[in-house]
Amino acid sequence: MLAAVQKNATRGDPRSVVKAIDQFCRQKEWAMNVGDEKGCILDSVVTEVNPATVLELGTYCGYSTVRIASLLPSNAKLITLEFNPDYAAIARQVIAWAGLEDKVQLVEGASGDWIPKMKEKFGIETFDLVFLDHWKDRYLPDTKLMEECGLLRKGSILLADNVICPGTPDYLEYIRNSPRYKSQYFKSHLEYTKVEDGLEKSVFLG
Ligand SMILES: O=C(NC/C=C/[C@H]1O[C@@H](Sc2ccncc2)[C@H](O)[C@@H]1O)c1cc([N+](=O)[O-])cc(O)c1O
Ligand SMILES: [Mg+2]
């Protein structure tokens, strides 16, 4: 995938990096990027929220990192957490090829360990937007952890990938029934396939 980006995308042009990855995943080898269809929904939410602080859980190869960072205002900060050092190494190169390294802070480690340190380590008060796309059984515990750590404010937006496939049943049950959130489901398809999937957008009500 990285070779395809370096071969087909223009340095400093995030859209060409996104296009190169989508082409590679459609034509050569499927990969678990959020993809072009759900990516458009992600883009519209990022544009609508126009966040100053963003947390991405699950960098993988940096596809959604590039999509989000390319839409952020100049002073905005995107922190993305990745557990697997090999994925992190690829993602750093993809983000650099897109010319977005100044907007992105890629942190290696587990969300459960880093979420409690966000304030002291990165000077973050609260996140305006959180994109959840990591291990599906971590969406719920990490959301509760963000609440406990005071990282969400009235109006913070959580956007969760894969709520249908592979599915995050405990997270959906919690977020759709909690009086502290207002949720909305954006129906779409699993990246590069015709299988149903979708994004769940939830506003924290405080
Ligand atoms: O499994 C999926 N995603 C899990 C992603 C996990 C990513 O996040 C970290 S884990 C971590 C842990 C803690 N903190 C940070 C990162 C992994 O190293 C990987 O980079 C998935 C699967 C399918 N699918 O069709 O099978 C489709 C998708 O869109 C998916 O996102
Ligand atoms: Mg996903």
Side-chain angles (χ1 to χ4, degrees), residues 20-118:
I21 293 174
D22 283 331
Q23 242 168 3
F24 176 82
C25 293
R26 282 192 182 285
Q27 293 162 9
K28 297 281 185 319
E29 187 185 328
W30 185 90
M32 60 183 177
N33 317 116
V34 73
D36 42 4
E37 194 181 319
K38 288 184 289 178
C40 286
I41 302 167
L42 171 62
D43 291 355
S44 60
V45 171
V46 175
T47 308
E48 174 203 342
V49 177
N50 195 36
T53 54
V54 184
L55 175 62
E56 176 180 61
L57 300 175
T59 316
Y60 186 43
C61 296
Y63 174 91
S64 48
T65 321
V66 167
R67 283 196 89 114
I68 296 168
S70 69
L71 296 172
L72 294 182
S74 50
N75 60 336
K77 191 187 265 187
L78 165 56
I79 295 176
T80 182
L81 298 186
E82 178 48 54
F83 182 74
N84 179 314
D86 299 327
Y87 292 156
I90 299 290
R92 288 188 200 287
Q93 296 173 79
V94 169
I95 293 160
W97 198 269
L100 293 166
E101 53 276 55
D102 297 346
K103 288 191 186 290
V104 176
Q105 177 132 32
L106 196 164
V107 179
E108 288 186 43
S111 46
D113 300 333
W114 277 104
I115 285 171
K117 297 178 189 162
M118 280 298 148

Side-chain angles (χ1 to χ4, degrees), residues 32-35 38 131-134 136 139 160-162 165-166 190-191 197 199:
M32 60 183 177
N33 317 116
V34 73
K38 288 184 289 178
F131 181 53
L132 298 94
D133 193 18
H134 59 332
K136 307 315 162 196
Y139 282 30
D161 189 26
N162 311 118
C165 176
L190 181 69
E191 48 267 26
D197 187 22
L199 300 175

Side-chain angles (χ1 to χ4, degrees), residues 7 34 40 44 51 79 85 105 115 119 137 144 163 182-183 197 201:
K7 179 166 172 284
V34 73
C40 286
S44 60
I79 295 176
Q105 177 132 32
I115 285 171
K119 291 185 186 245
D137 60 359
K144 289 181 172 173
V163 294
K182 174 100 183 65
S183 278
D197 187 22
K201 177 189 171 196

